[in-house]
Structures are given as C-alpha cells and as structure tokens.
Amino acid sequence: MKTVALIGYGYWGPNLLRNYMELPGATVKWVCDSRPEALAKAHARYPTVAGTTDYREVLADAQVDAVLIATPISTHFPLAKDALLAGKHVFVEKPMTGSTAEAVDLVELAVAQGLTLMVGHTFVFSPPVRKVKEIIDSGELGDIYFVTSSRVNLGLHQKDASVVWDLAPHDLSILHYWLEESPNGVSVAGRACINPGIPDVAFINLRFPSGIVAELQVAWLSPVKLRRTIVVGSRKMLLYDDTESVEKVKIFDHGVDFKDPQTFGEFQLSYRTGDIVSPKIAGSEPLFLEASHFVECLETGGRPITDGAAGLAVVASLEAADYSLRNGGCMRSIITGSGSS
Ligand SMILES: NC(=O)c1ccc[n+]([C@@H]2O[C@H](COP(=O)([O-])OP(=O)(O)OC[C@H]3O[C@@H](n4cnc5c(N)ncnc54)[C@H](O)[C@@H]3O)[C@@H](O)[C@H]2O)c1
C-alpha cells in the first residue's frame, strides 16, 4: 500500500483525487492547496484526507511515499524538485516543466535520487490511443507518411500559458508514444486573438527524423469541439475521433499505389477505396489506468511509460514551438536533452 499526497486542488486535482481514492494499492493522506476554500471543498468530499496550505508539511511527513502535482505549469519545477529532494516519488501534471533546462534537471535529479518521475500524459493511457498504437505497431497501416490533428473548442483561456502549452502536450505526447521518436524541427503560425501576448490559436508543423511530418491545430476559439486525428500510411489510413461515443477509431483500406512505368516516362496511379473497419475498444477511464500505472511502478520499481524522458521530449518541442511562434514561424530545430537551437 503506497501513501500519496496531492498538491493542487483546482480544476484537475479533484479528478486525480477521485481516482486515487478508488485505487486498491494507494491511500491518499494529504491534499494541499494554497487556497483554503479549495481545501474546504476537498474536506467536504473526503473528510478522512488531511488538508494543508503548505506543501512543506506534506514533504516533511515520512509516511508519504509519493506526491501528485496538479498546480499551474510555472510551479511544477520548484514543487517537483523539492519533493524529489525530500525523497518522494513524483507524478507531475503535463507539461512536466516550463522549460527544457528545468525538465533536464528533474530527470537527472530523479535518477540521482533513485526515485520515480512520471508525467500526466493522460492520453497515453486512453484505450483508443492504445488501440491506434497496436494498429501502427502491427504494420497494418504500412509506413506512416503523415499525421494531422485538430484539438479545438471554445476553451478556457489560461492566464499563465498559451494554447500551445495547454493543449499541444496532449498531441505531442500521443505522437511520441505512437511513433517512438521525437520531432527534430517545428514551425508554428499562431495568434493571440483575445488576450494580448497569450496565443489562443496555433498551427504547429512538425518534422521527424524518419521523414514523417505532422500538423497539429490547437485553439481555444472554435464554434465546435474537434478532437480528431488522421494517420496516413502507405497501406491504410486511420481516423481517431475522441468526440465519437462508440466508433472512436476507424481504419480505412484506402490508398494510392504507384505502378511501375510500362514504357519510359509513363507511370500510373491506382486508387483503392476498400473496407472501413472500427475495432472494439474498452471503455476504461484513462485517469484510473494512469493512476494504477504510477502505483504499479512504485511497487515494482518499473519505469513509467510516461517517464521523465517522455516529459522532457514534450517540453523541448513546446519550447521550440514557442520560439518559432514568437519569430515569425521560422523552422526551429528541437534538440531533446540540451535545449533547442
Ligand atoms: N492531464 C490532463 O488531461 C489535464 C487536464 C487539465 C489540466 N491538466 C494540468 O493540471 C495542472 C493544473 O491545472 P488546473 O486547470 O487544475 O489549474 P487550476 O489553476 O484550476 O488549479 C491549480 C491549483 O493549484 C493551487 N496551487 C498553486 N500553487 C500552489 C502551491 N505552491 N501549493 C499548493 N497549491 C497550489 C491553486 O490554488 C489551484 O487551486 C496543469 O499543469 C494542467 O496542465 C492536465
């Protein structure tokens, strides 16, 4: 049985708490939030969990094995660092930190302390995302040519983070998981339509070492909610639509084949539009699977799927995307581990 403490009980923290309260392998001992009214809400719902406004009280408790951090991005690094220095395992929400240098520091500190560092890349635990990974790995789609995705809705404008840092971590972490490689270049066009200085729409173009290219559209301004990703391969194509209630993943036996020229200078293309198949997908809650995975890693000493290195890869892409956005959409190289150039 692992004892955990939650820091941050705003919008997302309650979802973490609900899931950890249901986990057979974990006990939640503390909820910490700097706002007393947030603690009062937590106490009303879970009277057995202790509350504090000072996270140092949590870190001083020798019974606490791990902390869960669900605070604003700018606080992730100092809180996670202090927790690791206090000998606690850390689960920190996405994005892991606000800069690549901080992400590198956390990864190195976790290794030096021999502690688990996991990042809340929740979509990696979502059954349809898992299913797409299985399909890609099986080779059914052939070689992946490109990925395009839309994550737009009339969203909550954040005060301290652009739409890139708020929404793109989801798609970047999904791509990292599916493709098992990190992008090495990014260019971004975007705009701050409502709050000056905080972009609320961005079109992020990524290129990968393998030649795969990807485009991510993220926006807090849209008349409809889209959560749609298309993966195009040399054999088949796939649509993942997270807003669908049942058929979230569809595989299209569609493609274009290049036929060798019969005579010099001639070539033919043959277009194929075959079956559309929607695989059965389990209905489990991604957050519960994520929480179970963290506790299992604590018990076994195993490496989390969304470990510090995965968190670092996402942060390096976000930082490079930010640079491109602020510099007219220039192509920015992404160097995971030592920042970008
Ligand atoms: N994984 C997901 O799908 C997902 C979804 C939404 C948000 N998030 C992430 O969760 C994190 C929190 O987002 P949110 O929308 O809940 O933010 P929020 O602002 O609603 O809540 C943050 C809470 O942290 C508290 N807090 C801030 N600094 C603190 C400190 N030093 N000590 C104790 N408490 C402190 C605040 O009082 C607030 O209650 C962000 O990193 C966000 O990206 C993840």
Side-chain angles (χ1 to χ4, degrees):
M1 185 63 84
K2 296 291 171 188
T3 302
V4 305
L6 171 68
I7 309 178
Y9 197 78
Y11 162 68
W12 195 244
N15 293 323
L16 291 182
L17 185 54
R18 174 172 51 80
N19 279 283
Y20 277 87
M21 291 301 286
E22 284 171 15
L23 269 189
T27 309
V28 186
K29 184 165 180 195
W30 293 94
V31 174
C32 168
D33 198 293
S34 40
R35 294 179 305 120
E37 63 272 28
L39 287 183
K41 268 192 199 161
H43 183 72
R45 185 103 194 255
Y46 304 102
T48 57
V49 179
T52 176
T53 53
D54 185 354
Y55 76 93
R56 286 167 300 190
E57 200 175 343
V58 168
L59 300 189
D61 183 342
Q63 280 185 346
V64 172
D65 297 300
V67 296
L68 318 168
I69 301 172
T71 54
I73 301 166
S74 58
T75 64
H76 289 182
F77 176 68
L79 291 173
K81 186 177 174 182
D82 282 358
L84 290 169
L85 287 171
K88 311 297 183 196
H89 301 285
V90 169
F91 170 91
V92 57
E93 263 310 329
K94 61 82 193 166
M96 183 164 80
T97 55
S99 76
T100 308
E102 290 175 347
V104 170
D105 271 10
L106 282 193
V107 170
E108 289 177 353
L109 183 58
V111 171
Q113 296 282 84
L115 294 165
T116 300
L117 173 62
M118 176 164 156
V119 187
H121 291 164
T122 313
F123 275 94
V124 169
F125 298 90
S126 129
V129 169
R130 286 284 168 103
K131 179 56 80 178
V132 174
K133 168 79 173 152
E134 253 175 56
I135 294 163
I136 290 175
D137 286 355
S138 74
E140 188 175 355
L141 303 184
D143 295 330
I144 305 303
Y145 288 148
F146 69 90
V147 179
T148 170
S149 87
S150 298
R151 186 175 297 277
V152 301
N153 62 304
L154 201 57
L156 210 58
H157 279 68
Q158 307 286 322
K159 289 187 208 88
D160 69 336
S162 73
V163 74
V164 171
W165 286 83
D166 184 41
L167 295 185
H170 293 310
D171 300 294
L172 290 167
S173 59
I174 291 171
L175 288 180
H176 187 260
Y177 172 62
W178 281 349
L179 307 178
E180 294 179 12
E181 62 175 337
S182 298
N184 57 2
V186 60
S187 73
V188 184
R191 211 180 153 183
C193 305
I194 306 294
N195 281 341
I198 303 187
D200 42 24
V201 55
F203 307 111
I204 304 169
N205 283 286
L206 300 160
R207 53 162 207 231
F208 289 79
S210 63
I212 295 173
V213 289
E215 191 231 7
L216 316 175
Q217 298 174 12
V218 287
W220 292 322
L221 290 170
S222 166
V224 289
K225 178 171 178 169
L226 299 180
R227 297 287 184 264
R228 198 159 58 189
T229 305
I230 287 170
V231 183
V232 173
S234 56
R235 292 186 58 221
K236 291 185 182 175
M237 306 175 180
L238 179 149
L239 170 66
Y240 158 43
D241 188 340
D242 208 50
T243 60
E244 287 279 348
S245 51
V246 186
E247 296 175 345
K248 285 181 187 285
V249 175
K250 291 192 186 105
I251 306 160
F252 294 71
D253 186 10
H254 291 187
V256 183
D257 299 316
F258 188 86
K259 287 191 177 166
D260 282 340
Q262 301 294 311
T263 56
F264 181 75
E266 268 183 30
F267 68 89
Q268 277 188 324
L269 298 180
S270 83
Y271 288 78
R272 187 165 31 79
T273 52
D275 291 343
I276 302 168
V277 173
S278 181
K280 183 170 167 51
I281 293 172
S284 337
E285 187 178 354
L287 258 182
F288 187 76
L289 299 173
E290 180 188 80
S292 308
H293 182 63
F294 182 56
V295 171
E296 188 189 317
C297 289
L298 297 185
E299 275 162 5
T300 62
R303 196 186 173 92
I305 298 172
T306 57
D307 62 359
L312 164 61
V314 166
V315 170
S317 296
L318 293 171
E319 195 175 69
D322 240 4
Y323 181 92
S324 173
L325 185 52
R326 281 184 280 107
N327 289 277
C330 66
M331 177 54 76
R332 178 77 165 167
S333 299
I334 304 169
I335 303 160
T336 304
S338 55
S340 43
S341 61

